[in-house]
Amino acid sequence: MSLRMSVGTLTFESPIILASGTCNFGRELSEYISFSRIGGICSKGLTLSPRLGNPGCRVAETPSGMLNSVGLQNPGIDYFLQNDLDFMSSLSTRVIVNVAGHDPDDYVRMTERLNDHSDQIDILELNLSCPNVKEGCMIIGSSPKEIFNLVALVRSITSIPLWVKLTPNVTSIADTALAAQEGGADAVVAINTLLGMAIDIRSARPILQNNTGGLSGPAIKPIALRMVNECSRVLSIPVVGCGGIMNYKDVLEFLIAGASLVEIGTATMVHPTTPECIINDLEKYTAENHIESLSDIVGTLKLWGV
Amino acid sequence: MKKEHRAELIDNKSMNSDSSLLVFRCPEIAEESRPGQFVNVSCSKFLKRPFGVNDTDSINGTFSIGVREVGEGSAEIRSLEPGALVDVLGPLGNYFPLENAKKLIMVGGGTGVYPLHFALKEARKANVQTIYICGFRCVSDSCLVDECEAFSDRFMITSDTGDVGIRGTVMDALYRLNENEYNDATVLSVGPEIMMKNVSQWAENIGLDCFVSLERRMACGIGMCLVCTCKIKTKNHDDLYENKRCCADGPIFNSREVVW
């Protein structure tokens, strides 16, 4: 039984994609799992110039999840293209390059560089949702108008399939998702982390030196499911679900809600073998329940009439 | 492929007011661990907790860790009873460069003595001469005193209160060493960051290499998530630094590279 999924013009060995920022460029995880049945891997969020990320404590554990304030520490896109892309391409899975810019010009310049390597890149994921930087990203991703302008701009200069990773820190994710679709995105990814805070009661200071960080893990799964469903109901392009997936049942919930693929991240930090375990369990589940293709259950949610 | 292990707790002994020595059965970790490395241990909280390896016994397939209570997760692990099963990832991180050391001066503070105990035992096996200095707040905080005294060639203990050993800090013990004693030595230090900083300044001033074990809040433990970074000087640029991963590039760093 295969877990293969077709989304847009691409096929994926399974619906399981490794989320950006949770697996670096795949080297560390490749010592623990085989990538042959993984649907794809998203690179660490890349910027035009190298970034050190935020100072001080960058992680705080919270009930059923964690906050991070890494702040896009990365070696810069040129270093990535020279030193990491070949490794990602060698993993025999879809290669998704996540880019994060200060402004539209950053996204354009990075896309131009990626165009020169389009034979090695399956998808360009526009990060319009990192909550840990002061410019670009979530600032752009909070405004449907800016999303539309940026996606249309990038769309006009590349033929690489384009995913837009959305932030949940907005009033209406349906509006931002629609803006991405109208701009020419091939899919939206929902959701990135929720902006949050953890406080040390003795010092009366936030645990994170950045004061705030992005909340991930099972704590955000209900929010992610609701948002994936909202997006899938208004869009004609596919939705990639993301947020708190820990096991195969969570994956099934996201597919039923309307996701064609899912990204997992925080679960891999808890157990590095989680992606393979989920795939094994999905194979077992589809065999036992005589499900021919997982795509048959995408968007099968039956809402109550209220 | 590396994998996550299921380990059974064999023994749990309280060592002082806030820490215990836990022995687990896990032949792979017992076989592979080297002094300075750590393991990530599961608890009912979301993330695993990192602990330096204190000892291994490859014949019985066991390893031990010192667990200090710093929060709910470590308190829960400290209170585990023999027979308990935990998920363990490891051994993780790099290790002390013991191979070429002619002589070792080890300086531990508080629960920093646990990983140094492992280094002491390995040094004894390799016939490397050792000076071991441990510092505590008071006698009731002290731990592994007899074990470490037995494995070291010279042993000194200090306490803030003076109720055991030299009254003062580990620095007061280091200042008592003469040139013959510290010449050609490599220094290893594990403990509070301010102590490691002072120890490394002492070592650097007299031209000794010093290796310290840094500690950060971690998540994945294997170098993917970049939350546990330490400021490390860029090679050949003393005024520039990079954020290195405590879990994967460390936890052991040459003190000359550390931006304190």
Side-chain angles (χ1 to χ4, degrees):
Chain A
M1 190 85 49
S2 150
L3 298 178
R4 197 165 293 151
M5 303 292 273
S6 290
V7 178
T9 56
L10 297 171
T11 56
F12 296 80
E13 281 304 305
S14 74
I16 308 301
I17 314 279
L18 306 177
S20 177
T22 64
C23 57
N24 219 0
F25 301 109
R27 281 193 188 85
E28 298 81 7
L29 210 51
S30 70
E31 296 184 2
Y32 288 87
I33 63 169
S34 151
F35 280 72
S36 60
R37 291 178 301 158
I38 304 288
I41 174 174
C42 301
S43 75
K44 172 82 200 161
L46 295 162
T47 50
L48 197 54
S49 306
R51 273 182 65 92
L52 284 169
N54 289 321
C57 179
R58 295 173 169 189
V59 63
E61 191 179 54
T62 57
S64 296
M66 58 178 270
L67 290 162
N68 89 80
S69 60
V70 172
L72 292 177
Q73 175 178 336
N74 79 93
I77 193 148
D78 291 327
Y79 184 95
F80 163 76
L81 291 172
Q82 278 175 27
N83 299 282
D84 300 307
L85 181 57
D86 284 344
F87 179 80
M88 282 182 74
S89 304
S90 75
L91 290 171
S92 68
T93 189
R94 293 287 178 199
V95 173
I96 300 148
V97 177
N98 181 293
V99 297
H102 284 284
D103 52 35
D105 188 48
D106 269 10
Y107 287 95
V108 168
R109 289 164 71 184
M110 284 192 278
T111 304
E112 285 168 351
R113 283 165 166 76
L114 297 178
N115 280 339
D116 297 335
H117 300 265
S118 58
D119 56 325
Q120 286 181 288
I121 299 168
D122 295 303
I123 292 149
L124 168 54
E125 184 177 66
L126 296 178
N127 181 341
L128 301 187
S129 42
C130 175
N132 291 322
V133 291
K134 293 190 179 69
E135 293 167 312
C137 291
M138 195 176 92
I139 317 293
I140 298 171
S142 304
S143 154
K145 189 164 164 258
E146 287 191 48
I147 293 173
F148 171 81
N149 288 339
L150 180 75
V151 176
L153 180 63
V154 174
R155 176 78 291 165
S156 70
I157 59 163
T158 189
S159 55
I160 302 172
L162 212 53
W163 288 3
V164 177
K165 191 161 184 179
L166 299 172
T167 174
N169 302 300
V170 292
T171 311
S172 166
I173 198 156
D175 289 350
T176 52
L178 276 168
Q181 176 175 284
E182 284 158 20
D186 294 287
V188 298
V189 184
I191 56 177
N192 204 321
T193 55
L194 284 124
L195 198 55
M197 183 183 270
I199 294 171
D200 174 35
I201 54 172
R202 275 168 296 191
S203 62
R205 280 190 182 277
I207 291 173
L208 301 173
Q209 204 176 316
N210 190 51
N211 294 322
T212 58
L215 180 64
S216 63
I220 73 166
K221 195 188 85 174
I223 300 167
L225 278 171
R226 187 263 294 175
M227 290 188 161
V228 163
N229 186 241
E230 277 185 18
C231 291
S232 80
R233 282 190 284 141
V234 300
L235 297 182
S236 55
I237 56 172
V239 179
V240 180
C242 181
I245 293 171
M246 298 297 285
N247 55 50
Y248 80 99
K249 289 181 188 172
D250 295 336
V251 175
L252 294 170
E253 280 190 72
F254 273 87
L255 297 184
I256 291 168
S260 300
L261 301 165
V262 295
E263 291 187 0
I264 64 170
T266 304
T268 317
M269 293 185 207
V270 179
H271 301 285
T273 53
T274 303
E276 276 196 332
C277 294
I278 290 181
I279 288 169
N280 290 339
D281 290 344
L282 282 175
E283 282 176 345
K284 200 167 154 226
Y285 179 86
T286 50
E288 282 173 4
N289 291 277
H290 312 291
I291 295 168
E292 277 299 311
S293 166
L294 272 179
S295 54
D296 293 345
I297 66 167
V298 170
T300 53
L301 182 69
K302 291 171 281 197
L303 291 172
W304 298 100
V306 285
Chain B
M1 285 281 167
K2 291 185 184 173
K3 59 177 194 158
E4 196 167 336
H5 304 286
R6 179 59 61 90
E8 183 188 355
L9 182 66
I10 304 298
D11 190 30
N12 183 347
K13 187 166 68 172
S14 183
M15 302 295 280
N16 59 21
S17 55
D18 64 358
S19 77
S20 296
L21 188 68
L22 275 65
V23 182
F24 290 95
R25 178 170 291 124
C26 182
E28 295 93 335
I29 293 176
E31 193 62 44
E32 293 166 23
S33 299
R34 299 178 70 166
Q37 290 190 296
F38 66 98
V39 293
N40 258 3
V41 180
S42 67
C43 59
S44 67
K45 301 286 166 187
F46 192 61
L47 299 168
K48 295 194 183 69
R49 302 295 192 260
F51 302 98
V53 176
N54 166 80
D55 200 2
T56 61
D57 178 343
S58 50
I59 294 162
N60 291 309
T62 62
F63 71 93
S64 61
I65 55 176
V67 175
R68 180 168 67 99
E69 269 187 59
V70 292
E72 292 171 22
S74 50
E76 185 194 304
I77 292 168
R78 190 187 176 200
S79 68
L80 290 174
E81 303 208 350
L85 294 172
V86 292
D87 293 327
V88 188
L89 207 54
L92 302 173
N94 65 355
Y95 40 84
F96 288 118
L98 299 177
E99 308 79 44
N100 302 318
K102 293 179 192 138
K103 192 195 287 182
L104 289 162
I105 299 173
M106 302 191 197
V107 188
T111 41
V113 298
Y114 290 109
L116 285 180
H117 170 263
F118 192 9
L120 263 183
K121 274 187 75 175
E122 292 299 307
R124 173 60 56 96
K125 274 190 212 162
N127 284 319
V128 177
Q129 194 192 330
T130 54
I131 298 170
Y132 176 79
I133 297 167
C134 53
F136 303 97
R137 279 172 298 197
C138 55
V139 68
S140 60
D141 276 356
S142 65
C143 54
L144 290 180
V145 174
D146 295 341
E147 295 88 335
C148 290
E149 185 165 13
F151 282 117
S152 53
D153 295 300
R154 180 162 182 203
F155 172 87
M156 284 192 271
I157 181 169
T158 71
S159 59
D160 298 347
T161 53
D163 56 4
V164 59
I166 300 163
R167 184 193 185 104
T169 71
V170 293
M171 299 311 297
D172 296 293
L174 278 175
Y175 294 141
R176 295 187 180 200
L177 297 179
N178 65 41
E179 209 175 326
N180 280 336
E181 288 172 303
Y182 62 65
N183 259 353
D184 291 333
T186 301
V187 182
L188 313 179
S189 185
V190 190
E193 199 151 306
I194 182 69
M195 182 203 86
M196 293 192 287
K197 182 184 173 184
N198 290 336
V199 170
S200 55
Q201 271 171 2
W202 171 85
E204 288 167 30
N205 284 343
I206 54 177
L208 302 181
D209 273 334
C210 177
F211 294 88
V212 296
S213 177
L214 298 183
E215 191 172 291
R216 293 289 183 274
R217 279 179 192 253
M218 292 180 181
C220 75
I222 59 173
M224 304 187 295
C225 69
L226 312 189
V227 301
C228 65
T229 46
C230 311
K231 283 187 183 181
I232 301 296
K233 287 174 195 161
T234 302
K235 271 207 166 60
N236 308 321
H237 292 281
D238 260 11
D239 49 342
L240 296 178
Y241 72 90
E242 298 162 45
N243 280 324
K244 295 275 191 187
R245 303 163 299 178
C246 189
C247 69
D249 301 311
I252 311 302
F253 292 97
N254 186 320
S255 67
R256 286 190 175 86
E257 302 170 351
V258 177
V259 181
W260 295 101

